[in-house]
Amino acid sequence: MAKQKQATRDRILDAAEKLFAQKGFEGVSVRQIMSAADADVSLAYYHFKSKRDLFDQVMLRRVEYLNEIRLQALTEVEERHSDDAPTVEEIIGAFTQPLMQLLADDHDKWSHYYQLIAQINNSPDQGGVLMSRYFDPLVSRFIEALRKALPDCDDEDLYWSYHFLSGALTLTFAETGRIDNLSGGVCSSKDIASINERMHVFLAAGFEKLCEKS
Amino acid sequence: MAKQKQATRDRILDAAEKLFAQKGFEGVSVRQIMSAADADVSLAYYHFKSKRDLFDQVMLRRVEYLNEIRLQALTEVEERHSDDAPTVEEIIGAFTQPLMQLLADDHDKWSHYYQLIAQINNSPDQGGVLMSRYFDPLVSRFIEALRKALPDCDDEDLYWSYHFLSGALTLTFAETGRIDNLSGGVCSSKDIASINERMHVFLAAGFEKLCEKS
DNA sequence: CACAGAATTCAACGATCGTTGAATACTAGT
DNA sequence: ACTAGTATTCAACGATCGTTGAATTCTGTG
Protein backbone atom coordinates (compact mmCIF):
# COMPACT_ATOMS: atom_id res chain seq x y z
CA MET A 1 0.00 0.00 0.00
CA ALA A 2 2.32 2.73 1.20
CA LYS A 3 5.16 1.47 -0.88
CA GLN A 4 5.71 4.52 -3.02
CA LYS A 5 5.66 6.68 0.07
CA GLN A 6 8.53 4.79 1.61
CA ALA A 7 10.38 4.87 -1.70
CA THR A 8 10.14 8.64 -1.98
CA ARG A 9 10.86 9.20 1.67
CA ASP A 10 13.97 7.09 1.38
CA ARG A 11 15.09 8.88 -1.75
CA ILE A 12 14.78 12.16 0.11
CA LEU A 13 16.73 10.77 3.05
CA ASP A 14 19.42 9.42 0.75
CA ALA A 15 19.83 12.73 -1.04
CA ALA A 16 19.78 14.67 2.21
CA GLU A 17 22.33 12.36 3.80
CA LYS A 18 24.70 12.78 0.89
CA LEU A 19 24.37 16.55 0.61
CA PHE A 20 24.40 17.23 4.36
CA ALA A 21 27.55 15.13 4.58
CA GLN A 22 29.25 17.07 1.80
CA LYS A 23 28.17 20.62 2.57
CA GLY A 24 26.81 20.65 6.10
CA PHE A 25 23.33 21.48 7.35
CA GLU A 26 23.42 25.14 6.40
CA GLY A 27 25.41 24.57 3.24
CA VAL A 28 22.54 22.85 1.49
CA SER A 29 19.06 24.08 0.69
CA VAL A 30 15.90 22.04 0.82
CA ARG A 31 15.49 22.78 -2.88
CA GLN A 32 18.88 21.26 -3.67
CA ILE A 33 18.03 18.16 -1.68
CA MET A 34 14.68 17.71 -3.35
CA SER A 35 16.19 18.33 -6.73
CA ALA A 36 18.74 15.59 -6.08
CA ALA A 37 15.93 13.36 -4.87
CA ASP A 38 14.00 14.21 -8.05
CA ALA A 39 10.92 15.31 -6.16
CA ASP A 40 8.98 18.49 -5.62
CA VAL A 41 10.16 20.89 -2.94
CA SER A 42 6.99 20.77 -0.90
CA LEU A 43 7.24 16.99 -0.59
CA ALA A 44 10.00 17.59 1.92
CA TYR A 45 7.41 19.18 4.18
CA TYR A 46 4.89 16.46 3.57
CA HIS A 47 7.26 13.73 4.72
CA PHE A 48 9.12 15.78 7.32
CA LYS A 49 8.21 18.60 9.63
CA SER A 50 11.09 20.90 8.74
CA LYS A 51 14.60 20.98 7.40
CA ARG A 52 15.90 20.36 10.91
CA ASP A 53 13.57 17.41 11.32
CA LEU A 54 14.80 16.00 8.02
CA PHE A 55 18.34 16.24 9.33
CA ASP A 56 17.37 14.48 12.55
CA GLN A 57 15.68 11.68 10.65
CA VAL A 58 18.80 11.25 8.51
CA MET A 59 20.78 10.74 11.69
CA LEU A 60 18.24 8.50 13.40
CA ARG A 61 17.73 6.26 10.40
CA ARG A 62 21.02 4.43 10.89
CA VAL A 63 22.16 5.14 14.42
CA GLU A 64 20.16 2.42 16.13
CA TYR A 65 21.41 -0.32 13.86
CA LEU A 66 24.93 0.99 14.25
CA ASN A 67 24.75 0.90 18.02
CA GLU A 68 23.18 -2.53 17.93
CA ILE A 69 25.85 -4.28 15.89
CA ARG A 70 28.67 -2.63 17.79
CA LEU A 71 27.18 -3.65 21.10
CA GLN A 72 26.77 -7.15 19.78
CA ALA A 73 30.41 -7.22 18.70
CA LEU A 74 31.42 -6.24 22.22
CA THR A 75 29.30 -8.88 23.93
CA GLU A 76 30.66 -11.52 21.57
CA VAL A 77 34.19 -10.59 22.56
CA GLU A 78 33.24 -10.65 26.22
CA GLU A 79 31.54 -14.04 25.94
CA ARG A 80 34.61 -15.47 24.30
CA HIS A 81 36.37 -14.66 27.58
CA SER A 82 34.30 -16.43 30.20
CA ASP A 83 36.77 -16.07 33.04
CA ASP A 84 39.41 -13.45 32.11
CA ALA A 85 38.86 -10.01 30.60
CA PRO A 86 39.20 -9.28 26.88
CA THR A 87 42.30 -7.42 25.77
CA VAL A 88 42.25 -3.73 24.98
CA GLU A 89 42.89 -4.50 21.35
CA GLU A 90 39.92 -6.84 21.20
CA ILE A 91 37.61 -4.27 22.75
CA ILE A 92 38.72 -1.50 20.41
CA GLY A 93 38.39 -3.93 17.55
CA ALA A 94 34.78 -4.53 18.53
CA PHE A 95 34.26 -0.78 18.54
CA THR A 96 35.79 -0.09 15.14
CA GLN A 97 35.54 -3.33 13.17
CA PRO A 98 31.77 -3.29 12.60
CA LEU A 99 32.03 0.19 11.10
CA MET A 100 34.68 -0.96 8.66
CA GLN A 101 32.72 -4.08 7.81
CA LEU A 102 29.69 -2.03 6.80
CA LEU A 103 31.87 0.25 4.71
CA ALA A 104 33.45 -2.72 2.98
CA ASP A 105 30.06 -4.32 2.32
CA ASP A 106 28.26 -1.25 0.99
CA HIS A 107 30.46 1.80 0.73
CA ASP A 108 27.91 4.12 -0.86
CA LYS A 109 25.38 3.39 1.84
CA TRP A 110 27.58 4.20 4.81
CA SER A 111 30.32 6.57 3.69
CA HIS A 112 28.13 9.66 3.69
CA TYR A 113 26.74 8.78 7.07
CA TYR A 114 30.22 8.48 8.53
CA GLN A 115 31.16 11.82 6.99
CA LEU A 116 28.15 13.35 8.66
CA ILE A 117 29.18 11.96 12.03
CA ALA A 118 32.71 13.29 11.58
CA GLN A 119 31.37 16.78 10.98
CA ILE A 120 29.05 16.63 13.94
CA ASN A 121 31.75 15.28 16.21
CA ASN A 122 33.99 18.22 15.37
CA SER A 123 31.32 20.89 15.49
CA PRO A 124 31.95 23.23 18.44
CA ASP A 125 28.36 24.45 18.22
CA GLN A 126 26.28 21.40 19.06
CA GLY A 127 28.74 18.58 18.44
CA GLY A 128 29.22 17.56 22.04
CA VAL A 129 25.52 17.44 22.76
CA LEU A 130 24.53 15.56 19.61
CA MET A 131 27.30 12.97 19.80
CA SER A 132 26.44 12.30 23.42
CA ARG A 133 22.78 11.91 22.56
CA TYR A 134 23.44 9.36 19.84
CA PHE A 135 26.41 7.43 21.14
CA ASP A 136 27.01 7.85 24.86
CA PRO A 137 25.08 4.74 25.99
CA LEU A 138 27.17 2.60 23.66
CA VAL A 139 30.41 4.39 24.43
CA SER A 140 29.85 4.05 28.15
CA ARG A 141 29.53 0.31 27.72
CA PHE A 142 32.83 0.21 25.88
CA ILE A 143 34.55 2.33 28.46
CA GLU A 144 33.23 0.02 31.14
CA ALA A 145 34.79 -2.91 29.30
CA LEU A 146 38.05 -1.02 28.90
CA ARG A 147 38.09 -0.25 32.62
CA LYS A 148 38.02 -3.96 33.34
CA ALA A 149 40.81 -4.60 30.85
CA LEU A 150 42.87 -1.80 32.42
CA PRO A 151 42.08 -2.07 36.13
CA ASP A 152 44.89 0.24 37.19
CA CYS A 153 43.82 3.02 34.86
CA ASP A 154 42.12 6.01 36.41
CA ASP A 155 39.04 7.47 34.77
CA GLU A 156 40.63 10.64 33.51
CA ASP A 157 43.18 8.71 31.47
CA LEU A 158 40.44 6.44 30.23
CA TYR A 159 38.16 9.22 29.04
CA TRP A 160 40.94 11.18 27.37
CA SER A 161 42.14 8.04 25.65
CA TYR A 162 38.68 7.46 24.32
CA HIS A 163 38.54 11.06 23.17
CA PHE A 164 41.72 10.64 21.16
CA LEU A 165 40.29 7.46 19.70
CA SER A 166 37.11 9.26 18.77
CA GLY A 167 38.98 11.96 16.87
CA ALA A 168 41.15 9.50 15.01
CA LEU A 169 38.19 7.30 14.17
CA THR A 170 35.86 9.98 12.85
CA LEU A 171 38.53 11.74 10.80
CA THR A 172 39.64 8.47 9.26
CA PHE A 173 36.08 7.62 8.24
CA ALA A 174 35.47 11.11 6.90
CA GLU A 175 37.49 10.21 3.82
CA THR A 176 38.59 13.77 3.19
CA GLY A 177 41.41 12.83 0.86
CA ARG A 178 43.94 14.51 3.09
CA ILE A 179 46.13 11.45 3.55
CA ASP A 180 46.10 10.95 -0.21
CA ASN A 181 47.56 14.41 -0.73
CA LEU A 182 49.99 14.28 2.17
CA SER A 183 51.39 10.89 1.27
CA GLY A 184 51.59 11.68 -2.42
CA GLY A 185 49.48 8.66 -3.27
CA VAL A 186 51.14 6.17 -0.93
CA CYS A 187 47.97 5.98 1.14
CA SER A 188 44.31 6.26 0.18
CA SER A 189 41.46 7.51 2.35
CA LYS A 190 39.27 4.74 1.03
CA ASP A 191 41.69 1.86 1.61
CA ILE A 192 39.69 0.12 4.30
CA ALA A 193 42.00 -2.86 4.48
CA SER A 194 44.96 -0.63 5.33
CA ILE A 195 42.98 1.11 8.04
CA ASN A 196 41.74 -2.19 9.36
CA GLU A 197 45.29 -3.42 9.88
CA ARG A 198 46.45 -0.34 11.71
CA MET A 199 43.85 1.62 13.60
CA HIS A 200 43.15 -0.75 16.45
CA VAL A 201 46.88 -1.40 16.90
CA PHE A 202 47.69 2.29 17.10
CA LEU A 203 44.85 3.09 19.45
CA ALA A 204 45.27 0.11 21.75
CA ALA A 205 48.91 1.02 22.24
CA GLY A 206 47.88 4.53 23.27
CA PHE A 207 45.38 3.23 25.81
CA GLU A 208 47.85 0.82 27.33
CA LYS A 209 50.70 3.27 27.51
CA LEU A 210 48.65 6.06 29.01
CA CYS A 211 47.06 3.75 31.55
CA GLU A 212 50.16 1.90 32.64
CA LYS A 213 51.55 5.31 33.53
CA SER A 214 48.76 5.95 36.02
CA MET B 1 47.96 56.76 9.21
CA ALA B 2 45.86 53.75 8.34
CA LYS B 3 45.33 52.84 11.94
CA GLN B 4 41.57 52.88 12.05
CA LYS B 5 41.46 50.81 8.92
CA GLN B 6 43.45 48.04 10.50
CA ALA B 7 41.35 48.26 13.63
CA THR B 8 38.10 47.77 11.74
CA ARG B 9 39.56 45.11 9.50
CA ASP B 10 40.73 43.19 12.53
CA ARG B 11 37.39 43.54 14.25
CA ILE B 12 35.76 42.04 11.19
CA LEU B 13 38.29 39.21 11.10
CA ASP B 14 37.77 38.53 14.80
CA ALA B 15 34.01 38.39 14.47
CA ALA B 16 34.22 36.26 11.34
CA GLU B 17 36.67 33.87 12.95
CA LYS B 18 34.41 33.36 15.94
CA LEU B 19 31.20 32.92 13.96
CA PHE B 20 32.71 30.76 11.22
CA ALA B 21 34.16 28.54 13.93
CA GLN B 22 30.83 28.18 15.67
CA LYS B 23 28.47 27.84 12.72
CA GLY B 24 30.59 27.09 9.66
CA PHE B 25 31.03 29.07 6.48
CA GLU B 26 27.48 28.68 5.24
CA GLY B 27 25.94 28.84 8.67
CA VAL B 28 26.74 32.50 9.11
CA SER B 29 25.71 35.49 7.02
CA VAL B 30 27.87 38.49 6.23
CA ARG B 31 25.28 40.59 7.99
CA GLN B 32 25.65 38.58 11.20
CA ILE B 33 29.41 38.93 11.05
CA MET B 34 29.29 42.66 10.48
CA SER B 35 26.71 43.08 13.18
CA ALA B 36 29.01 41.28 15.61
CA ALA B 37 31.88 43.45 14.42
CA ASP B 38 29.66 46.50 14.94
CA ALA B 39 30.19 47.78 11.43
CA ASP B 40 28.13 48.35 8.33
CA VAL B 41 27.46 45.41 6.03
CA SER B 42 29.11 46.96 3.00
CA LEU B 43 32.36 47.45 4.89
CA ALA B 44 32.90 43.73 4.51
CA TYR B 45 33.17 44.29 0.78
CA TYR B 46 35.39 47.30 1.16
CA HIS B 47 37.97 45.37 3.18
CA PHE B 48 37.48 42.01 1.48
CA LYS B 49 36.58 40.88 -1.98
CA SER B 50 33.83 38.49 -0.98
CA LYS B 51 32.56 36.29 1.81
CA ARG B 52 34.85 33.53 0.60
CA ASP B 53 37.81 35.90 0.57
CA LEU B 54 36.99 36.96 4.11
CA PHE B 55 37.05 33.32 5.13
CA ASP B 56 40.42 32.82 3.43
CA GLN B 57 41.87 35.84 5.18
CA VAL B 58 40.65 34.52 8.51
CA MET B 59 42.58 31.35 7.86
CA LEU B 60 45.69 33.03 6.49
CA ARG B 61 45.93 35.54 9.32
CA ARG B 62 47.28 33.02 11.80
CA VAL B 63 48.52 30.06 9.80
CA GLU B 64 51.97 31.43 9.00
CA TYR B 65 52.78 32.22 12.61
CA LEU B 66 51.48 28.84 13.63
CA ASN B 67 53.68 27.02 11.15
CA GLU B 68 56.64 29.15 12.13
CA ILE B 69 56.61 28.42 15.84
CA ARG B 70 55.96 24.73 15.34
CA LEU B 71 58.82 24.44 12.91
CA GLN B 72 61.01 26.29 15.37
CA ALA B 73 60.01 23.88 18.14
CA LEU B 74 61.03 20.97 15.92
CA THR B 75 64.43 22.43 15.02
CA GLU B 76 65.09 23.16 18.68
CA VAL B 77 64.43 19.54 19.53
CA GLU B 78 66.65 18.40 16.69
CA GLU B 79 69.48 20.72 17.69
CA ARG B 80 69.36 19.39 21.19
CA HIS B 81 70.32 16.05 19.64
CA SER B 82 73.51 16.79 17.74
CA ASP B 83 74.46 13.18 17.09
CA ASP B 84 71.46 10.92 17.80
CA ALA B 85 67.86 11.37 16.66
CA PRO B 86 65.14 12.88 18.87
CA THR B 87 62.61 10.47 20.33
CA VAL B 88 59.14 10.09 18.88
CA GLU B 89 57.67 11.63 21.99
CA GLU B 90 59.88 14.70 21.64
CA ILE B 91 58.92 15.19 18.00
CA ILE B 92 55.23 14.86 18.69
CA GLY B 93 55.65 17.20 21.62
CA ALA B 94 57.15 19.79 19.27
CA PHE B 95 54.14 19.34 17.01
CA THR B 96 51.48 19.71 19.70
CA GLN B 97 53.06 21.69 22.52
CA PRO B 98 53.19 25.08 20.75
CA LEU B 99 49.47 24.85 20.05
CA MET B 100 48.72 24.22 23.70
CA GLN B 101 51.05 26.99 24.78
CA LEU B 102 49.20 29.53 22.66
CA LEU B 103 45.90 28.31 24.02
CA ALA B 104 47.16 28.63 27.58
CA ASP B 105 48.53 32.12 26.95
CA ASP B 106 45.52 33.59 25.18
CA HIS B 107 42.59 31.21 25.00
CA ASP B 108 40.13 33.61 23.38
CA LYS B 109 42.54 34.44 20.61
CA TRP B 110 43.27 30.87 19.53
CA SER B 111 40.35 28.69 20.53
CA HIS B 112 38.08 29.77 17.69
CA TYR B 113 40.87 29.34 15.20
CA TYR B 114 41.47 25.79 16.35
CA GLN B 115 37.77 25.06 16.13
CA LEU B 116 37.81 26.29 12.56
CA ILE B 117 40.70 24.00 11.70
CA ALA B 118 38.91 21.05 13.26
CA GLN B 119 35.88 21.65 11.09
CA ILE B 120 37.95 22.04 7.94
CA ASN B 121 39.99 18.94 8.70
CA ASN B 122 36.81 16.87 8.96
CA SER B 123 35.04 18.38 5.99
CA PRO B 124 34.69 15.80 3.22
CA ASP B 125 34.02 18.56 0.72
CA GLN B 126 37.24 20.55 0.62
CA GLY B 127 38.90 19.49 3.86
CA GLY B 128 41.69 17.44 2.35
CA VAL B 129 42.67 20.13 -0.12
CA LEU B 130 42.57 23.02 2.35
CA MET B 131 44.45 21.23 5.12
CA SER B 132 47.13 20.19 2.67
CA ARG B 133 47.43 23.74 1.38
CA TYR B 134 47.93 25.20 4.82
CA PHE B 135 49.87 22.54 6.66
CA ASP B 136 51.51 19.99 4.37
CA PRO B 137 54.94 21.68 4.21
CA LEU B 138 55.13 21.69 8.00
CA VAL B 139 53.69 18.22 8.37
CA SER B 140 56.11 16.79 5.83
CA ARG B 141 58.97 18.16 7.88
CA PHE B 142 57.61 16.43 10.98
CA ILE B 143 57.10 13.17 9.16
CA GLU B 144 60.65 13.38 7.92
CA ALA B 145 61.82 13.74 11.50
CA LEU B 146 59.65 10.84 12.59
CA ARG B 147 61.06 8.68 9.82
CA LYS B 148 64.52 9.23 11.26
CA ALA B 149 63.33 8.38 14.75
CA LEU B 150 61.65 5.24 13.42
CA PRO B 151 64.02 4.00 10.73
CA ASP B 152 62.37 0.59 10.40
CA CYS B 153 58.92 2.07 9.85
CA ASP B 154 57.53 1.95 6.35
CA ASP B 155 55.81 5.01 4.92
CA GLU B 156 52.30 3.64 4.94
CA ASP B 157 52.44 3.06 8.69
CA LEU B 158 53.95 6.49 9.15
CA TYR B 159 51.28 8.34 7.20
CA TRP B 160 48.41 6.48 8.78
CA SER B 161 49.87 7.12 12.21
CA TYR B 162 50.03 10.80 11.45
CA HIS B 163 46.45 10.70 10.21
CA PHE B 164 45.28 9.23 13.51
CA LEU B 165 47.26 11.89 15.31
CA SER B 166 45.66 14.58 13.20
CA GLY B 167 42.16 13.43 14.05
CA ALA B 168 42.86 13.18 17.75
CA LEU B 169 44.55 16.57 17.79
CA THR B 170 41.92 18.55 15.94
CA LEU B 171 39.01 17.02 17.81
CA THR B 172 40.68 17.68 21.14
CA PHE B 173 41.26 21.33 20.26
CA ALA B 174 37.74 21.73 18.93
CA GLU B 175 36.50 21.90 22.53
CA THR B 176 33.10 20.50 21.68
CA GLY B 177 32.21 19.63 25.24
CA ARG B 178 31.76 16.00 24.33
CA ILE B 179 34.24 14.67 26.86
CA ASP B 180 32.56 16.77 29.52
CA ASN B 181 29.24 15.05 28.87
CA LEU B 182 30.65 11.58 28.42
CA SER B 183 32.76 11.68 31.57
CA GLY B 184 30.02 13.27 33.64
CA GLY B 185 32.31 16.13 34.58
CA VAL B 186 35.43 14.12 35.33
CA CYS B 187 37.16 15.68 32.30
CA SER B 188 36.85 19.11 30.76
CA SER B 189 37.40 20.02 27.10
CA LYS B 190 39.22 23.15 28.20
CA ASP B 191 41.59 21.52 30.67
CA ILE B 192 44.79 22.16 28.74
CA ALA B 193 47.03 20.84 31.47
CA SER B 194 45.30 17.46 31.41
CA ILE B 195 45.62 17.26 27.64
CA ASN B 196 49.23 18.32 27.83
CA GLU B 197 50.07 15.44 30.12
CA ARG B 198 48.42 12.83 27.98
CA MET B 199 48.20 13.51 24.28
CA HIS B 200 51.82 13.11 23.29
CA VAL B 201 52.13 9.98 25.43
CA PHE B 202 49.10 8.37 23.84
CA LEU B 203 50.11 9.27 20.30
CA ALA B 204 53.79 8.42 20.62
CA ALA B 205 52.87 4.96 21.86
CA GLY B 206 50.69 4.47 18.79
CA PHE B 207 53.49 5.48 16.44
CA GLU B 208 56.00 3.22 18.10
CA LYS B 209 53.74 0.20 18.28
CA LEU B 210 52.55 0.46 14.72
CA CYS B 211 56.06 0.98 13.40
CA GLU B 212 57.80 -1.72 15.39
CA LYS B 213 55.35 -4.12 13.81
CA SER B 214 56.57 -3.28 10.31
C1' DC C 1 -17.27 2.40 -10.48
C1' DA C 2 -17.26 5.30 -6.50
C1' DC C 3 -14.92 6.98 -2.81
C1' DA C 4 -11.29 8.02 0.85
C1' DG C 5 -6.98 8.91 2.04
C1' DA C 6 -2.34 9.12 0.77
C1' DA C 7 0.95 11.21 -2.33
C1' DT C 8 2.28 14.77 -5.31
C1' DT C 9 2.15 19.22 -7.89
C1' DC C 10 1.80 24.24 -8.34
C1' DA C 11 2.17 28.84 -7.01
C1' DA C 12 3.36 31.86 -3.83
C1' DC C 13 4.47 34.32 1.05
C1' DG C 14 7.83 37.15 3.57
C1' DA C 15 12.55 36.98 5.02
C1' DT C 16 17.11 36.87 4.26
C1' DC C 17 20.97 36.07 1.32
C1' DG C 18 25.57 38.04 -1.08
C1' DT C 19 26.78 41.95 -3.33
C1' DT C 20 27.06 46.72 -5.33
C1' DG C 21 27.11 51.92 -6.53
C1' DA C 22 26.66 56.27 -5.06
C1' DA C 23 26.83 59.54 -1.48
C1' DT C 24 29.00 61.07 2.79
C1' DA C 25 32.49 61.59 6.55
C1' DC C 26 37.10 61.37 7.98
C1' DT C 27 42.27 62.04 7.85
C1' DA C 28 46.85 63.24 6.17
C1' DG C 29 49.99 66.13 3.59
C1' DT C 30 50.76 70.79 1.41
C1' DA D 1 42.22 75.84 4.48
C1' DC D 2 42.39 72.94 0.25
C1' DT D 3 42.76 68.54 -1.47
C1' DA D 4 43.40 63.54 -2.34
C1' DG D 5 42.53 59.41 -0.89
C1' DT D 6 40.81 56.42 2.71
C1' DA D 7 37.05 54.89 5.40
C1' DT D 8 32.24 54.56 6.28
C1' DT D 9 27.17 54.98 5.54
C1' DC D 10 22.80 54.33 3.09
C1' DA D 11 19.68 52.27 0.04
C1' DA D 12 18.78 48.92 -2.88
C1' DC D 13 19.33 44.90 -6.66
C1' DG D 14 17.99 40.18 -7.92
C1' DA D 15 18.37 35.58 -6.15
C1' DT D 16 17.43 32.25 -3.06
C1' DC D 17 15.97 30.80 1.43
C1' DG D 18 12.43 27.81 4.48
C1' DT D 19 7.82 27.10 4.55
C1' DT D 20 2.76 26.81 3.48
C1' DG D 21 -2.14 26.15 1.55
C1' DA D 22 -4.82 24.73 -1.96
C1' DA D 23 -5.49 22.06 -5.94
C1' DT D 24 -4.53 17.76 -8.24
C1' DT D 25 -3.32 12.93 -9.09
C1' DC D 26 -2.64 8.29 -7.56
C1' DT D 27 -3.98 3.97 -5.14
C1' DG D 28 -6.16 0.56 -2.78
C1' DT D 29 -10.98 -0.75 -0.72
C1' DG D 30 -16.10 -1.10 -0.73
Side-chain angles (χ1 to χ4, degrees):
Chain A
M1 43 175 308
K3 270 295 172 52
Q4 187 65 20
K5 162 170 181 178
Q6 279 300 332
T8 300
R9 209 185 114 101
D10 282 346
R11 271 197 351 266
I12 298 173
L13 285 170
D14 288 341
E17 182 178 74
K18 182 172 183 174
L19 289 170
F20 282 147
Q22 286 171 351
K23 309 274 188 181
F25 179 76
E26 324 261 9
V28 163
S29 68
V30 178
R31 283 172 174 82
Q32 288 176 299
I33 293 170
M34 298 309 288
S35 170
D38 200 36
D40 191 272
V41 201
S42 55
L43 266 180
Y45 297 89
Y46 175 74
H47 289 285
F48 305 96
K49 283 175 15 186
S50 63
K51 186 186 182 185
R52 176 62 61 181
D53 179 52
L54 171 55
F55 182 86
D56 290 340
Q57 297 306 321
V58 166
M59 285 302 300
L60 291 171
R61 179 165 63 146
R62 305 201 195 280
V63 74
E64 273 185 55
Y65 176 68
L66 220 52
N67 287 338
E68 196 176 300
I69 61 164
R70 294 169 91 185
L71 183 59
Q72 186 182 331
L74 176 61
T75 56
E76 276 175 18
V77 162
E78 285 176 333
E79 281 165 7
R80 210 178 307 139
H81 295 256
S82 50
D83 44 350
D84 57 338
T87 66
V88 175
E89 211 163 307
E90 283 175 307
I91 297 169
I92 292 176
F95 193 70
T96 59
Q97 262 281 352
L99 302 177
M100 282 182 271
Q101 190 60 53
L102 292 177
L103 206 54
D105 290 346
D106 193 342
H107 183 270
D108 285 347
K109 179 173 179 181
W110 291 98
S111 61
H112 301 122
Y113 193 70
Y114 293 171
Q115 292 175 339
L116 204 47
I117 293 174
Q119 283 187 257
I120 292 173
N121 198 25
N122 286 270
S123 158
D125 189 31
Q126 290 269 45
V129 174
L130 289 180
M131 288 300 287
S132 287
R133 176 178 311 159
Y134 295 134
F135 296 114
D136 270 7
L138 177 79
V139 171
S140 294
R141 271 286 281 118
F142 270 91
I143 288 188
E144 192 185 317
L146 286 162
R147 213 193 320 264
K148 278 184 203 160
L150 297 161
D152 294 333
C153 190
D154 62 56
D155 277 7
E156 218 177 338
D157 288 318
L158 215 47
Y159 286 122
W160 278 116
S161 291
Y162 171 76
H163 204 62
F164 302 146
L165 176 156
S166 175
L169 185 68
T170 53
L171 175 65
T172 300
F173 284 169
E175 292 183 0
T176 67
R178 170 89 201 285
I179 198 174
D180 309 58
N181 296 336
L182 175 64
S183 69
V186 172
C187 300
S188 165
S189 285
K190 307 192 177 180
D191 184 354
I192 303 166
S194 283
I195 300 166
N196 205 10
E197 291 173 15
R198 293 170 173 84
M199 190 156 54
H200 64 289
V201 178
F202 184 99
L203 295 171
F207 268 87
E208 281 164 355
K209 179 64 167 241
L210 195 53
C211 289
E212 92 186 14
K213 189 207 66 178
S214 61
Chain B
M1 39 179 307
K3 273 292 172 51
Q4 188 65 20
K5 163 172 180 175
Q6 278 301 330
T8 300
R9 208 186 114 100
D10 282 346
R11 269 197 352 267
I12 298 173
L13 285 170
D14 287 343
E17 181 178 77
K18 182 171 183 174
L19 289 170
F20 281 146
Q22 285 171 352
K23 308 275 188 181
F25 178 76
E26 324 261 10
V28 163
S29 69
V30 178
R31 284 172 174 84
Q32 287 175 300
I33 293 170
M34 298 309 288
S35 169
D38 201 35
D40 190 274
V41 199
S42 56
L43 266 180
Y45 297 89
Y46 175 74
H47 290 284
F48 306 95
K49 282 177 11 190
S50 63
K51 186 186 181 186
R52 177 60 63 178
D53 179 52
L54 170 55
F55 182 86
D56 290 340
Q57 298 306 322
V58 166
M59 284 304 299
L60 290 171
R61 179 164 65 145
R62 305 202 195 280
V63 75
E64 274 186 53
Y65 176 68
L66 220 52
N67 287 338
E68 197 176 300
I69 61 165
R70 294 169 91 185
L71 183 59
Q72 185 181 333
L74 176 60
T75 57
E76 277 176 17
V77 162
E78 287 176 331
E79 281 165 7
R80 211 179 306 139
H81 295 256
S82 49
D83 46 349
D84 57 339
T87 65
V88 175
E89 210 162 309
E90 283 175 307
I91 297 169
I92 292 176
F95 193 71
T96 60
Q97 263 281 352
L99 301 177
M100 281 182 270
Q101 190 60 54
L102 293 176
L103 206 54
D105 291 347
D106 192 341
H107 183 270
D108 285 347
K109 180 173 179 181
W110 291 97
S111 62
H112 301 122
Y113 193 69
Y114 293 171
Q115 292 175 338
L116 204 46
I117 293 174
Q119 283 187 257
I120 293 173
N121 198 26
N122 286 271
S123 159
D125 190 33
Q126 290 271 42
V129 174
L130 290 180
M131 289 299 287
S132 287
R133 178 179 309 159
Y134 296 135
F135 297 113
D136 270 7
L138 178 78
V139 172
S140 294
R141 270 285 283 118
F142 270 91
I143 288 189
E144 193 184 317
L146 286 163
R147 213 193 320 264
K148 279 183 201 159
L150 296 161
D152 295 333
C153 191
D154 62 55
D155 277 7
E156 219 177 338
D157 287 320
L158 214 47
Y159 286 122
W160 277 115
S161 292
Y162 171 77
H163 203 63
F164 302 147
L165 177 155
S166 176
L169 185 67
T170 52
L171 175 65
T172 300
F173 284 170
E175 292 183 2
T176 66
R178 170 90 202 284
I179 199 174
D180 310 58
N181 296 336
L182 176 63
S183 70
V186 172
C187 300
S188 164
S189 285
K190 307 192 179 184
D191 184 355
I192 304 167
S194 283
I195 300 166
N196 205 10
E197 290 172 16
R198 292 171 173 85
M199 192 157 51
H200 64 290
V201 178
F202 184 98
L203 296 172
F207 269 86
E208 283 164 351
K209 178 63 165 245
L210 196 52
C211 289
E212 92 185 12
K213 189 207 64 177
S214 61

